[in-house]
Every structure is written in structure tokens, then in C-alpha cells.
Amino acid sequence: VLLRWPAVKWSGWGCSLSWLGKALGCCSEAQAWADLLFSARDIALTKLWPEWAGPYMPPAVPGLGLSLARYNVGGCARAEDQSGQASSSRARGWFAELEGFQPLPGGEFDWSRDEGQRRFLQLAIQRGVEQVELFANAPMWWMSDSKSSFGGNLTKPDEFAAYLAEVVLQARRSWGAPVRTVAPFNEPSAGWWTFPHDQEGCCVDLELQARVIARLRD
């Protein structure tokens, strides 16, 4: 791509956190994995895969030096919230159930949630990540007609836009995240986001997409 369009300036080289960020942020080797992804130094293999280290393996691997991270704003509540959320029987696992910050309809925000992914985002920022994008695969469960973030149709576009805007403010002010962009949808015009799905996703028609984007700009 660089050879074909040499005049194009790339804004960064990065990855999405999401399931990866939640899983790695919850493990004891989180620091080493953050070094591997977001630093350019060599990381000892014993810190990443101690059971693989040995005479037939390299002693260290080079870090990727990623400069951009995408943080997944989730839409799940917790079982103990007794919120009325519909649970998907097809969910891929605990790592795919990303907690949102407004678990009850129109309720208070709980910024202690999604601890694993938030922790990994902080490790990325500490290692020099220059840009953060917030993205959503689905709204909070109560903003969908299925009462779940694992498939359905968006029914509360204004509330969804306000929710994302509030998370952006929190990320900038309290997490110290250099948020540059927001991606509110993921394949919103696809026809496969029916409940129960195996991951978060939501159908959003073109009119509602335009409404959410306009409200975010406001």
C-alpha cells in the first residue's frame, strides 16, 4: 500500500483491544504483553510464555511498537444487576461479554466496570500510545429491541449517542486517554445481527445511523 500510494500519510499503527484487551488485562502477564504490543524493546520469552522458553527458542522477541489503540465500549450488564438483560446462549465466552458503564436504563454510570480492558488501555497509554479510538459493536443492552447487546435493532439512538459521548469525556478526563475518534457502529447494515448472536452487534438503519452521528457531533 505504501508503495502504491506514497503520498498517503498514515496516522498510526495499532490494534483493537476488545476481547484481547479484556483477557490480557485480567492476566498476570499483562505488563509483558503490553510491552510486546506497545513498545519496541525486546521482551524475554520467559515473561510471555514461560513454558515455551528453552534452548530451541529465541531468548526474546521484539516489541511491535504500536502507536494506536482501539477501545471497545461494551453494552453488557452483570448478572447481579438483575437488570432484565437478555443473555445470549451463543456467547463465545466471558472475554466476549464486554461490560458497559450504564447498566440500568437511564441510570447512573459505573466507571469501575470493564476493569480488564481499561487496565490494558492504561498500560498501552503508559507505553506511549498516541491515539485512541473508541468503538462500539452494539449499544447498551437496554437500547436494543432484544434487550441484549448480542443482536437486535437500535431503538434509542439519542440515548446511545449521549452514552458514547459520556464515555469519551470520561476517557479523556479520568483515564488520560488521547481519544481522537469514535466509531459508533460495526457492520450496522448487515442482516445477521439477530438475537441470540455469539458476539455483540446491532442492526442500525441508515436514518438512525445519521441521527447518532449528528448527535455525537453536537
Side-chain angles (χ1 to χ4, degrees):
V1 173
L2 292 175
L3 292 174
R4 187 170 182 180
W5 293 289
V8 173
K9 183 178 180 180
W10 288 57
S11 60
W13 157 241
C15 69
S16 292
L17 302 185
S18 194
W19 304 357
L20 167 83
K22 179 178 180 179
L24 293 181
C26 291
C27 76
S28 58
E29 298 87 4
Q31 296 275 353
W33 281 100
D35 287 340
L36 179 67
L37 292 173
F38 301 108
S39 80
R41 59 179 178 269
D42 289 346
I43 298 90
L45 201 64
T46 54
K47 293 184 177 181
L48 297 168
W49 303 287
E51 66 277 12
W52 287 10
Y56 302 106
M57 297 293 287
V61 291
L64 294 175
L66 303 182
S67 61
L68 187 151
R70 301 181 74 233
Y71 177 86
N72 189 180
V73 182
C76 292
R78 295 172 179 169
E80 57 265 32
D81 293 328
Q82 297 182 343
S83 58
Q85 171 184 243
S87 297
S88 173
S89 59
R90 298 179 57 213
R92 296 192 184 192
W94 64 272
F95 52 85
E97 298 172 352
L98 292 170
E99 293 180 342
F101 300 103
Q102 196 178 18
L104 299 177
E108 297 294 323
F109 282 74
D110 181 355
W111 299 115
S112 68
R113 303 205 170 201
D114 194 27
E115 184 177 2
Q117 190 186 189
R118 285 191 298 106
R119 179 191 179 200
F120 207 68
L121 175 64
Q122 287 300 313
L123 295 177
I125 294 169
Q126 291 168 13
R127 284 155 179 77
V129 159
E130 300 169 350
Q131 297 181 48
V132 171
E133 177 175 83
L134 300 191
F135 75 98
N137 292 324
M140 282 303 307
W141 67 270
W142 53 270
M143 301 175 189
S144 171
D145 62 356
S146 65
K147 302 303 179 187
S148 173
S149 59
F150 279 71
N153 298 277
L154 177 65
T155 58
K156 298 183 182 294
D158 294 344
E159 290 86 343
F160 181 41
Y163 170 68
L164 290 177
E166 195 67 29
V167 178
V168 171
L169 287 176
Q170 176 72 9
R172 285 175 170 170
R173 294 174 179 176
S174 299
W175 305 348
V179 178
R180 294 275 298 277
T181 54
V182 179
F185 316 114
N186 176 52
E187 301 172 348
S189 301
W192 50 69
W193 297 122
T194 55
F195 177 82
H197 211 283
D198 62 353
Q199 66 183 68
E200 286 194 314
C202 187
C203 296
V204 187
D205 65 36
L206 292 176
E207 181 180 349
L208 291 185
Q209 290 179 41
R211 184 182 181 97
V212 170
I213 292 170
R215 290 302 301 272
L216 276 173
R217 286 175 174 166
D218 291 342

